[in-house]
Amino acid sequence: MADVSLKKVGKTYENASANTIEDLSLDIRSGEFVVLVGPSGCGKSTTLRMLAGLEELSEGEIWIANRRVDELEPRDRNIAMVFQNYALYPHMTVAQNMSFGLRLAGMDKAEIRRRVEEAAKLLDIAPLLDRRPKQLSGGQRQRVAMGRAMVRDPAVFLFDEPLSNLDAKLRGQMRAEIRRLHKRLKATTVYVTHDQVEAMTLADRVVVLNKGKIEQQGTPQELYERPATRFVAGFIGSPTMNFLPAKVVTESTRPALRIGEATIPVPAHKAETVLQRVGQDIEIGLRPEHFLVDGPADLSATIDMAELLGPTTLVHFTLAGMTCSAMLPPELAAPEGEVQSLRIAFDRMSIFDPKTGHAL
Amino acid sequence: MKKHHMRRAFFVTLVIALILCCFLAPYAWIVASSFKNQLTLFNDVTPLSWKAFLPVGGTIENYQSLFKRTNVLTALANTAIVAGGQVALTLLLCSMAAYSLTRVSFPGAKIVFVLILLTFLLPIEALMVPLYQVVSGLGLSNTLLGVMIPWVASPFGLFLLKQAFEELPVELEDAARIDGAGHVRIFFSIVLPNVKVPMLTLGLITFLFSWNSFLWPLVIVQDPANQVIQVAIAQQGSPTQLPNWGETFAGATVATLPLILLFLLLQKYFTQGMTTSGIKG
């Protein structure tokens, strides 16, 4: 286990018009599971590769276990990495794949065998040790890739979108497996994904990257409930957050928001902030579960489409010219074409400055 | 429908058989003629009869005199050394060059690659004089090394292997770096074992090219002790007499046999390499 620290790290490619990574600083505590998440091209994989030593830094420093490592070769950083396409050596057996690094390090044969067998047992791949990668399923290859990382007993585990090539069911299983392994090994882990569900379910801390910069970092719950920007609000959560244009008005000296035809009150904890913007346009963010069907209705909308998801029904409707979705109990959701009365959980809504995208 | 399919299959088989006959006929004639004396050999082709393709009235005299009178065994050994050496050096050089051009980014890499490919366009005959000057200048004329050395930097080999390296996921090398391997270890332990088929294909093509080469060995080697098989066969007759065709054909048969055996052993890789590299003949 080891602390990891990225200090003002930057990366510029020769032919790129802008910096891929800019002034990125991040401290990861020993044993922490940090997920870097963001859309394609946001720089998350580049950050991980710089941490691994597979990419050079254009500026900044990387420290692992209180040792500056950005000038060191990958082998000298005491890290292990699991790749998106597993990167298992096709011409070697599972056992040879797992032990390659240890053999290069000149480790004693008996110790190598002990480590490989222990990891194989833990990952449930002991019967596969003599097979070659092409004889394995996607899930088995994933386990072998994890085993190869584990046997090295590294200070830091790096995962680069390791579940992207698996089907949905297997992805769910492997997610749980990775979480379980982390709890058991308690190793510092940096995990890159573009899948926000993976980020939410695995991470102790999620770091959202956008255009090479950290947009927000925090626990999954913090990011979900209190997104710092419209980008984070839209990226985290599935189905995605609904964004509605609104105008700040006053009603009996109290601030309120006009959304289309409806006027809704502002939650008490946001009143002071909003009061300074009377007459201005803002944007509110409501998650699908922030629309409720119990209690007095705040607005009503005609349902354009209803999708039964099992325990809930996702209904789609148009509000203030925007397509919205709400997660409702199936028995209370109106069918398509009918009007649904909705109450809004105002106290949970987010408010954004439409110009800067920052939360108010 | 079934009848239609059968008729089509029959027609296709017939066409393939005819093409096969066209390719096999010269070899059958060479082998058959190698077992005939000069008179029978000419009688069978004037006019051409089916006997020309069968060893009718067979004799092994041609083989006996070939091995007794000429240095064919030495030439075979020389050719094996040249072909083997050329294969080893070509594989080493081309794989290293192709790997550098694929994975190491340096200014002008594309231009270097295009320039190398352009050498494809030069006919071998046009290279003879400058090559002779260079090889002689190096003091390698009349040596087996001089026979093989100009051809080990093969643009075809570089092209074939560059394509193979491009298809190899770069993550394999990344994983090996993290596992602690350096460039040399990665190249020999991870990269090369995963381009086995293109390497074997290149090895086989190089071997065929080297084994069958005639013009360059004729130019660079004058010493009969260092001559290769194709030149030895061509020079086995006396300049003042008509060639002994039966003996010549016996020599050609002996020279072809190792190639046929090699091809039979490695044809799987040869066809695999050709189809996967996109170079279909």
Side-chain angles (χ1 to χ4, degrees):
Chain A
M1 289 201 292
D3 290 333
V4 175
S5 189
L6 286 85
K7 297 179 180 176
K8 294 182 176 297
V9 167
K11 176 73 186 175
T12 314
Y13 287 105
E14 268 176 31
N15 300 325
S17 55
N19 290 353
T20 304
I21 306 284
E22 208 176 317
D23 201 21
L24 189 140
S25 293
L26 180 66
D27 290 311
I28 299 166
R29 293 185 305 276
S30 179
E32 194 178 13
F33 197 123
V34 167
V35 175
L36 305 182
V37 69
S40 294
C42 71
K44 55 190 186 299
S45 283
T46 307
T47 305
L48 196 78
R49 289 175 61 81
M50 287 194 292
L51 197 48
L54 298 172
E55 294 273 356
E56 279 183 25
L57 279 67
S58 302
E59 55 193 45
E61 297 171 7
I62 294 178
W63 292 68
I64 294 175
N66 300 319
R67 189 170 62 121
R68 189 173 170 181
V69 296
D70 49 84
E71 297 288 327
L72 300 181
E73 281 291 311
R75 61 176 166 225
D76 300 323
R77 296 188 181 201
N78 199 10
I79 47 114
M81 187 160 169
V82 177
F83 293 84
Q84 182 176 355
N85 63 1
Y86 321 126
L88 299 177
Y89 312 126
H91 58 297
M92 295 185 193
T93 63
V94 168
Q96 287 167 336
N97 262 284
M98 288 169 72
S99 62
F100 184 65
L102 304 182
R103 281 183 279 139
L104 288 186
M107 190 178 277
D108 174 57
K109 275 184 184 173
E111 175 63 10
I112 292 176
R113 193 162 53 243
R114 188 192 68 75
R115 285 194 186 198
V116 169
E117 282 171 2
E118 193 179 294
K121 201 174 159 191
L122 191 67
L123 290 162
D124 207 16
I125 51 170
L128 311 176
L129 285 175
D130 292 325
R131 292 201 196 164
R132 288 187 195 275
K134 69 177 176 188
Q135 297 169 300
L136 307 176
S137 68
Q140 287 169 335
R141 286 180 201 184
Q142 184 58 61
R143 284 165 197 267
V144 175
M146 279 162 45
R148 180 170 65 180
M150 275 169 57
V151 292
R152 301 186 60 210
D153 193 18
V156 183
F157 278 99
L158 307 175
F159 289 86
D160 189 5
E161 307 209 26
L163 307 183
S164 306
N165 291 353
L166 302 178
D167 62 48
K169 191 180 171 191
L170 206 50
R171 206 156 51 224
Q173 287 172 2
M174 289 307 295
R175 216 161 49 209
E177 190 112 7
I178 289 172
R179 189 73 193 147
R180 208 162 31 241
L181 272 173
H182 177 253
K183 276 190 177 157
R184 182 172 175 155
L185 301 172
K186 294 184 175 60
T188 312
T189 304
V190 186
Y191 187 107
V192 159
T193 181
H194 65 270
D195 183 344
Q196 54 89 26
V197 177
E198 260 172 52
M200 298 288 281
T201 50
L202 285 170
D204 294 327
R205 180 157 50 116
V206 178
V207 179
V208 182
L209 289 172
N210 184 26
K211 294 176 184 165
K213 290 180 179 171
I214 294 177
E215 192 86 11
Q216 187 181 1
Q217 54 179 304
T219 64
Q221 200 168 359
E222 276 169 5
L223 263 63
Y224 188 77
E225 291 179 355
R226 292 186 294 284
T229 64
R230 190 189 189 281
F231 176 84
V232 175
F235 193 80
I236 300 290
S238 177
T240 188
M241 182 182 264
N242 302 293
F243 295 101
L244 296 168
K247 198 175 191 81
V248 181
V249 294
T250 45
E251 231 181 29
S252 331
T253 71
R254 291 184 62 187
L257 299 174
R258 178 157 297 145
I259 306 166
E261 299 299 311
T263 303
I264 57 168
V266 174
H269 67 281
K270 299 272 186 190
E272 203 172 318
T273 319
V274 170
L275 203 52
Q276 296 163 7
R277 294 187 175 240
V278 173
Q280 292 179 18
D281 290 327
I282 57 156
E283 194 167 30
I284 66 164
L286 291 165
R287 296 216 178 268
E289 64 273 21
H290 294 167
F291 290 99
L292 307 167
V293 281
D294 58 337
D298 293 308
L299 48 89
S300 55
T302 306
I303 303 301
D304 298 326
M305 192 170 73
E307 295 173 275
L308 180 64
L309 303 178
T312 57
T313 293
L314 187 67
V315 295
H316 301 272
F317 51 92
T318 307
L319 197 59
M322 307 297 285
T323 303
C324 295
S325 57
M327 202 88 88
L328 305 176
E331 65 280 9
L332 299 175
E336 286 176 12
E338 291 199 8
V339 174
Q340 176 90 57
S341 295
L342 295 163
R343 181 167 76 82
I344 297 174
F346 296 112
D347 54 325
R348 295 172 70 190
M349 77 177 174
S350 303
I351 301 175
F352 302 101
D353 181 327
K355 283 180 191 146
T356 63
H358 289 123
L360 297 174
Chain B
M1 195 66 183
K2 202 177 170 188
K3 207 172 174 183
H4 169 76
H5 275 299
M6 278 178 69
R7 214 166 33 212
R8 193 167 173 274
F10 174 75
F11 181 72
V12 169
T13 311
L14 191 71
V15 171
I16 291 171
L18 281 173
I19 294 171
L20 189 68
C21 283
C22 290
F23 276 94
L24 278 181
Y27 292 104
W29 182 55
I30 289 169
V31 175
S33 301
S34 72
F35 291 102
K36 293 171 185 172
N37 60 38
Q38 193 96 327
L39 186 67
T40 322
L41 196 154
F42 277 103
N43 282 342
D44 289 346
V45 289
T46 47
L48 184 66
S49 80
W50 59 269
K51 286 181 187 171
F53 302 100
L54 294 173
V56 182
T59 168
I60 56 165
E61 273 174 23
N62 293 326
Y63 287 92
Q64 283 172 333
S65 81
L66 178 78
F67 287 110
K68 227 182 260 174
R69 207 177 56 76
T70 69
N71 64 346
V72 71
L73 285 177
T74 312
L76 270 175
N78 288 342
T79 315
I81 292 167
V82 169
Q86 197 170 323
V87 167
L89 289 174
T90 302
L91 290 180
L92 186 71
L93 200 73
C94 288
S95 60
M96 289 169 108
Y99 184 65
S100 326
L101 282 169
T102 314
R103 291 290 197 254
V104 185
S105 69
F106 59 90
K110 277 186 184 168
I111 296 169
V112 169
F113 182 58
V114 171
L115 283 175
I116 292 170
L117 284 191
L118 279 178
T119 61
F120 255 142
L121 303 176
L122 294 171
I124 287 175
E125 291 78 2
L127 296 169
M128 285 297 144
V129 174
L131 274 183
Y132 182 80
Q133 285 177 332
V134 172
V135 175
S136 298
L138 290 170
L140 295 176
S141 59
N142 259 327
T143 65
L144 295 183
L145 192 61
V147 178
M148 72 174 91
I149 209 80
W151 313 107
V152 295
S154 154
F156 168 74
L158 187 116
F159 176 73
L160 185 81
L161 294 181
K162 187 172 185 290
Q163 206 151 342
F165 290 140
E166 274 169 5
E167 283 168 19
L168 204 64
V170 78
E171 286 84 358
L172 284 183
E173 291 148 66
D174 288 342
R177 280 182 70 192
I178 287 175
D179 270 339
H183 285 299
V184 176
R185 169 74 74 166
I186 290 173
F187 183 68
F188 286 105
S189 297
I190 304 296
V191 174
L192 287 189
N194 285 298
V195 289
K196 216 162 49 184
V197 173
M199 289 283 278
L200 275 167
T201 307
L202 177 62
L204 191 55
I205 290 170
T206 306
F207 194 88
L208 290 176
F209 171 82
S210 179
W211 191 275
N212 288 328
S213 64
F214 173 77
L215 189 58
W216 174 249
L218 180 72
V219 170
I220 200 69
V221 175
Q222 287 81 44
D223 181 359
N226 281 342
Q227 203 49 275
V228 295
I229 186 73
Q230 304 299 344
V231 180
I233 294 166
Q235 292 180 337
Q236 48 94 8
S238 158
T240 55
Q241 288 175 337
L242 274 175
N244 179 348
W245 287 109
E247 208 174 288
T248 304
F249 287 140
T253 305
V254 169
T256 314
L257 270 177
L259 293 185
I260 291 172
L261 285 175
L262 192 72
F263 189 79
L264 286 175
L265 278 172
L266 300 174
Q267 63 168 325
K268 186 179 83 176
Y269 299 106
F270 184 75
T271 46
Q272 256 183 35
M274 281 303 180
T275 48
T276 52
S277 64
I279 304 164
K280 293 177 189 171

